[in-house]
Structures are given as C-alpha cells and as structure tokens.
Amino acid sequence: MTALARSVDAEGGIDSCWRQGAPAGMSVSSVLFTGLGSEEVTADRLREAAGFAALQTSKAPRLVVALADSGDDLKAVVEGTLLGSHRTTKHGKPATQAPPEIAFLGHLEDAQVHYAVVAAEAVWRVRDLVTMPPNFLNPASFVEQVTQMAQGSSIEIEVYDEKRVAAEGLGGINAVGQGSLNPPRLMILRYQPAQPTRHVALVGKGITFDSGGLSLKAPNAMVGMKYDMTGAAVMAASTLAASALGGSIAVTAYLCLAENMPSGSASRPNDVITIKGGKTVEILNTDAEGRLVMADGLSLASALNPDLIIDIATLTGAARIALGERYAGLMGTAEGVAEIEGAAATTGEKVWAMPLPSELRALLSSDVADIANAKPGEVLGGMLLAGVFLREFVGEGIPWAHLDIAGPANNSSSAFGFTPKGASGALTRTILSVLTS
Ligand code: BES
Ligand code: MN
Ligand code: ZN
C-alpha cells in the first residue's frame, strides 16, 4: 500500500485525496487514499479523513473502509464515513445515486455501530430539512416533516397553531410570525423514558425564512436565510435520535417556528410585546427576531425547572464575524457551558466559550418595556448582547447553555472533512451526546 501511495504522489495533507486503479490481485476496482495531515493522528482526524473520502466517492456503489481496526479510532471512522455519505439531491428530483454499501475492516460492538448510524441519520435529517427551499418549508410544513420522522417512535408531539400561540401568551413567536401568510407554530417534542435519570429541556430557533421583517435585510444578506431554522432542526433530530437509542434522560424540546416577513400585519419597530411569563420587550429591530421567539421557548423550558436547558440558534451575524464558520459560540452558566464543552470534546465538534458581560444589559434598556431586543446602531459585541438578552428569560439557578451556530450551520465554501458544501448539521451530535451520556 505504501508503495502504491508513493506511486500516486499522495502527500497526505488534510482534506486531500488520491485515487488509483487497484493493482492486480486486489478485489476492488480502485483505491482511494485520504490525507491525515502531519500532526498526531487522533480519532477526530480519522473521522474527518474518512468523511472526506466518503464525500469524494459519490459514485461508488460499494466502499470498503480500512482506516482503523478497533476501538475509538474505528468508531470515529464509521461515524465519519456515514457523515460523509450523505448526498444532496436537486429539489423535487429523484436521487441519482443510492447511498453506498459500506463495509469496515475491524470489529465494533453492535451498540457502537447502532449509535453511529442513528447519530449520522440525525445529521442527515438536519441537512435535508435545512436544504429545503423556504417556499416548501414553512412553520406548518416543518411540523409535518418532523411529525413524519417521529412516526413509530415513542416521542409525544404537541403543536400550537397561531391561535394557540397567541392564547398561551407566546408573544415573541406571535410577533415574529404575524406578518407572514404562513402563520407561526410552537412544536413540542417529549421523550419520556420509564425511569428518567435527568430532564433536559431544549429550545431551537426555527425561522423558516428571515427577511428581517420591516427592518428588511439588504438583498445579499437575505440570501441563505432559509438556514434560519437550523436550530429547530438540530433539536428535533437529536431528540428523535435520543429516543431511537432509548436513552434514560427525559427530553422536552421546544421548536419555535415562524416566518419573519414584512407586511401590513407585521411587527413594527417600537411595538411592545409580552413574552411568555410576563416580561415586556420593545422591538427596536424586527430583524433581531430570533431572540424574541427564543425568549418564549426559554420561558417555557424554565417553567419545567429541568436539570439543564440548552438552546441553539443561528442568532447573530456577529457570531460569524467573531468565530467564522467552523466554531459555534457557546455562552451560559458555568455548569451549562462545561456540559457542552465536555460533550463537544467527545464528538470533535468545535465550540468556543464566550462571555456574557452583565454591563451590556444597560444597552438594552427601554423606557416603555422591561427590555429592548436590540440597540440600534450598536455594532460591538453583537453575539454577546444577544446572549445577554436571552439570559433574562432563563429561570434563576437552572444550568443553561446557549449555542450561536450562525457560522457552522452553513458551509459556504467547499467541502471539508465530512462536511459538504451547504447545510452542515453541525452540533447535532454534540446535543445527542448530552442527551445520551
Ligand atoms: N438570522 C440572523 C442571523 C444570521 C445572520 C445568521 C447571518 C446567519 C447569517 C438574525 O436573525 C439577525 O438578523 N440578526 C441580526 C441582529 C441585529 C439586528 C441586532 C444581525 O446579526 O445582524
Ligand atoms: Mn433576523
Ligand atoms: Zn434570524
């Protein structure tokens, strides 16, 4: 093999592959070498390299993967290969290529294979949901899609339509959704094991399209805003996966679904709304809509007094500026942050802890409401300011983690590791890890 690799000048850099016809006597048609880089070969690196190889072999009907033969390394190779085997098809067209049959050299416990398959399926589901065009995916059809995925599972589903959203006092979701012909929804997923060891509440931002509302985005900034429901997709897919794995942690997921559109019935800057639980918010920028729907979700989650609240949202452009497209911004209580950091260390996903400076709270003061949703003209620390806003709606003493995934939700450049161009499904495996550990 080494000689064969030399003969094709395989240098072995990260995210590089070399393909070569198999030498006589081998029962495969071609051999693909995938680069591992020059640093220490870790399970994380193997996961990425296996995934990159799988992404490059989109036409192969069968793969034999021989990158590791046991333990955590093999587990990572299996995960990476599955993550890289997802194919995006053109909307409404049949898939041109079935997923490959994959064989691995070495031995893994059945439970480990099962976990890898379920985790990869969750990531695939997020990618598929996020990729759906926003004229096909709106709050109501998001509910339909997730309801279909939950068929046959033990998940209990409850859905509030726009009337119920208003009646329940979910003023944030109502205000963001009221300008659209596609009315808002709150979708609640409950996974209740027989003897729960713990209760985790999840909140996901599900803006199926973010035009900015009356604070309309510029044309170029609006492109890509179908991705604004990624948080809800991540929480739905990881809750379904946790139930498929039969974990012992109870999960309640709040998916805050709305389409943010301008119209005669849209929210205006200076409107004052009441979030679930009674706090009032002056809307100063209708494009800071994510924190409004998340505020309702966090209040609902807090009322359950769970052991942990995790929220995830494509919340701020500032998170992309600060951390780029590979790191999620992580904020929250010390306990919540540590929990996510621990989980991300096992999945290899990239998170970076950020502060929630209390002095920023003054920027959100309002003369007519308890808090404003933005400070017009303020450009500094936008990711942190959004986190400081959300903190107001988290119950005292509840461990809480907030993930701003505006960067990693979408890979706007070319494929790297197991991550294709477009919707990534990033952080789904980390949430699942928290729900199953
Ligand atoms: N959905 C956006 C954040 C976003 C921007 C995600 C770019 C992915 C890529 C969010 O609703 C938003 O518009 N945030 C504003 C907040 C501002 C008005 C305070 C932003 O970041 O500009
Ligand atoms: Mn917005
Ligand atoms: Zn948004």
Side-chain angles (χ1 to χ4, degrees), residues 186-381:
L186 175 78
M187 186 174 200
I188 309 169
L189 306 180
R190 294 188 183 91
Y191 169 60
Q192 186 68 37
Q195 244 100 53
T197 51
R198 211 179 170 206
H199 180 203
V200 177
L202 307 174
V203 183
K205 174 176 174 181
I207 302 299
T208 58
F209 188 74
D210 181 12
S211 71
L214 288 177
S215 312
L216 197 64
K217 287 182 183 293
N220 290 345
M222 209 183 290
V223 176
M225 282 302 138
K226 69 172 183 176
Y227 287 91
D228 220 17
M229 38 56 70
T230 302
V234 167
M235 291 321 202
S238 48
T239 304
L240 290 171
S243 95
L245 292 166
S248 63
I249 298 177
V251 183
T252 309
Y254 294 99
L255 314 179
C256 307
L257 303 164
E259 186 180 49
N260 189 21
M261 296 291 262
S263 78
S265 63
S267 294
R268 325 152 185 74
N270 291 128
D271 277 2
V272 173
I273 62 169
T274 305
I275 301 296
K276 178 77 185 172
K279 284 203 172 127
T280 56
V281 178
E282 185 181 14
I283 300 175
L284 293 181
N285 189 326
T286 65
D287 197 12
E289 85 298 339
R291 60 198 75 181
L292 300 177
V293 303
M294 297 299 280
D296 278 333
L298 288 168
S299 298
L300 287 167
S302 296
L304 303 174
N305 197 25
D307 299 301
L308 173 67
I309 297 177
I310 310 172
D311 82 68
I312 190 160
T314 48
L315 202 60
T316 65
R320 296 165 53 82
I321 308 272
L323 293 173
E325 274 195 344
R326 299 214 184 172
Y327 280 84
L330 170 61
M331 287 143 275
T333 64
E335 216 179 312
V337 166
E339 186 104 34
I340 297 292
E341 281 179 330
T346 71
T347 59
E349 297 194 293
K350 294 187 163 76
V351 298
W352 202 258
M354 305 297 290
L356 288 176
S358 44
E359 66 273 17
L360 294 186
R361 176 62 179 79
L363 299 177
L364 298 175
S365 68
S366 163
D367 296 336
V368 292
D370 293 326
I371 191 168
N373 78 328
K375 163 114 178 150
E378 178 68 57
V379 293
L380 305 182

Side-chain angles (χ1 to χ4, degrees), residues 137-145 147 157-166 168 170 172-178 180-188 204-208 232 253-260 293-294 296-297 300:
L137 193 76
N138 55 46
S141 58
F142 183 105
V143 166
E144 277 170 30
Q145 294 278 333
T147 303
I157 297 177
E158 193 175 359
V159 180
Y160 295 181
D161 66 4
E162 70 274 27
K163 288 192 202 96
R164 182 91 190 267
V165 162
E168 296 280 346
L170 304 178
I173 297 174
N174 184 68
V176 173
Q178 73 187 39
S180 173
L181 290 171
N182 299 309
R185 296 284 185 268
L186 175 78
M187 186 174 200
I188 309 169
K205 174 176 174 181
I207 302 299
T208 58
Y254 294 99
L255 314 179
C256 307
L257 303 164
E259 186 180 49
N260 189 21
V293 303
M294 297 299 280
D296 278 333
L300 287 167

Side-chain angles (χ1 to χ4, degrees), residues 119-139:
E121 182 188 40
V123 174
W124 288 29
R125 281 175 161 165
V126 174
R127 290 181 189 163
D128 288 341
L129 276 169
V130 174
T131 304
M132 275 182 77
N135 54 331
F136 289 90
L137 193 76
N138 55 46

